[in-house]
Amino acid sequence: MSDTKLRFRVPAGSSSTVDSFQNLKARIGVGADNLTSQSRYALNPVTRNRIQLEFAYRGSWIVRAACDILAEDMTREGFHFEKGVEPDDSDKMQSDITELGVLPALADAIKWARLYGGAVAYMMIDGHKPEEPLDPSKISKDQFRGLLVFDRYQLLPHTSEPVMELGPDFGKPSAYSVTAYQSGMSGQKIHYSRLVRFEGDPLPYWQRMAEMGWGASVLEALWDRLLMFDSTTLGAGQMVYRAHLRVVMIEGLRTAIAN
């Protein structure tokens, strides 16, 4: 018996095929008025619910791990200076970085960017005006005093004043006003060149505009799965308690009580 080979030919001008099988009588297939065809994706803007995000961060170890692990892993080894820096200078810079708390501040900025969808680290330079562009040539020794972290809800971006200089910051806000009352800088305008900006999960253009130029919380895409996981584990835990209960059955108890 000879082998039989089946050959399929794709129609000319077609690079792909689409599976559109339907059985309307059996209600099988997408669009056949079954449960699957009624499924949709809806907007669940958890990113805009700051209180809910904070409660989740404080109360769920999974949420905390999703926000913290990457940030701490990125900053735990510090900086390594390879070329153009003498060993003695490198040791001095490492000492200053530790003393000024630069690495913990960077870790916090990354954490809050992942939690809220955006955060910045403000470079505190003594004697400089925050609202003016940063000129590195005018920074003297010991003027740098560390980083001050703001999450997206502590700032008001000046979206009507975008950066017009071509580069990675083109189109982003050229300045931000601090709205956090107890930060020591309430109402202060800060030029974008003095900020290290971090964003959460990237978004398409129109969704990014709806978030005032920021990204989305990394928790937004996980939210329904987080709820299911916690609901399932909590329900299983409660069943363990119920397994320990002894139930005494008395025949005719309800009738006796009623009488």
Side-chain angles (χ1 to χ4, degrees):
M1 181 176 181
S2 60
D3 295 336
T4 302
K5 296 183 179 180
L6 298 179
R7 296 183 179 181
F8 298 91
R9 176 173 295 178
V10 178
S14 175
S15 59
S16 62
T17 59
V18 179
D19 187 357
S20 58
F21 172 80
Q22 288 181 332
N23 186 325
L24 299 180
K25 189 172 183 178
R27 294 186 178 183
I28 298 175
V30 176
D33 195 24
N34 52 33
L35 293 178
T36 301
S37 65
Q38 299 303 315
S39 300
R40 298 290 186 273
Y41 287 99
L43 178 63
N44 182 30
V46 178
T47 300
R48 302 176 193 172
N49 193 336
R50 179 181 62 84
I51 300 297
Q52 185 64 53
L53 292 175
E54 291 172 351
F55 286 175
Y57 183 81
R58 295 186 63 170
S60 170
W61 67 270
I62 300 179
V63 170
R64 183 161 296 208
C67 296
D68 292 2
I69 288 179
L70 185 142
E72 292 173 356
D73 188 58
M74 289 176 64
T75 55
R76 62 187 173 90
E77 293 294 335
F79 299 100
H80 179 63
F81 303 100
E82 294 183 351
K83 298 180 180 179
V85 180
E86 297 295 330
D88 291 343
D89 294 335
S90 176
D91 292 341
K92 180 63 169 60
M93 285 190 287
Q94 295 286 11
S95 177
D96 290 342
I97 287 172
T98 301
E99 182 180 350
L100 294 172
V102 173
L103 293 175
L106 284 176
D108 283 347
I110 298 170
K111 290 177 184 179
W112 308 149
R114 293 177 63 78
L115 177 63
Y116 297 114
V120 300
Y122 166 58
M123 293 178 281
M124 296 183 289
I125 302 174
D126 189 25
H128 282 216
K129 295 181 179 180
E131 66 274 12
E132 296 181 353
L134 177 64
D135 185 353
S137 64
K138 294 182 180 180
I139 302 177
S140 303
K141 182 180 179 180
D142 296 331
Q143 278 191 304
F144 177 66
R145 299 298 177 85
L147 300 173
L148 183 61
V149 177
F150 296 101
D151 64 60
R152 62 176 288 185
Y153 291 106
Q154 294 177 289
L155 300 170
L156 179 64
H158 294 203
T159 54
S160 61
E161 304 172 14
V163 177
M164 300 306 296
E165 181 180 353
L166 297 180
D169 294 312
F170 180 78
K172 295 181 180 179
S174 61
Y176 301 78
S177 292
V178 180
T179 58
Y181 295 110
Q182 297 181 356
S183 64
M185 296 184 65
S186 179
Q188 177 65 59
K189 181 180 179 181
I190 305 176
H191 193 265
Y192 82 96
S193 60
R194 297 181 180 274
L195 300 172
V196 183
R197 178 182 164 112
F198 299 91
E199 296 182 6
D201 283 348
L203 290 171
Y205 174 78
W206 291 113
Q207 291 299 316
R208 190 168 68 251
M209 293 300 99
E211 300 298 336
M212 300 187 72
W214 299 107
S217 169
V218 297
L219 304 179
E220 188 164 301
L222 307 173
W223 198 254
D224 57 343
R225 297 300 180 265
L226 288 170
L227 295 178
M228 283 188 241
F229 175 83
D230 285 335
S231 299
T232 303
T233 53
L234 181 61
Q238 290 179 336
M239 289 178 64
V240 173
Y241 284 100
R242 294 178 64 88
H244 284 78
L245 298 178
R246 290 187 174 90
V247 180
V248 179
M249 306 293 293
I250 302 177
E251 186 176 355
L253 177 62
R254 291 189 178 183
T255 303
I257 294 176
N259 294 331

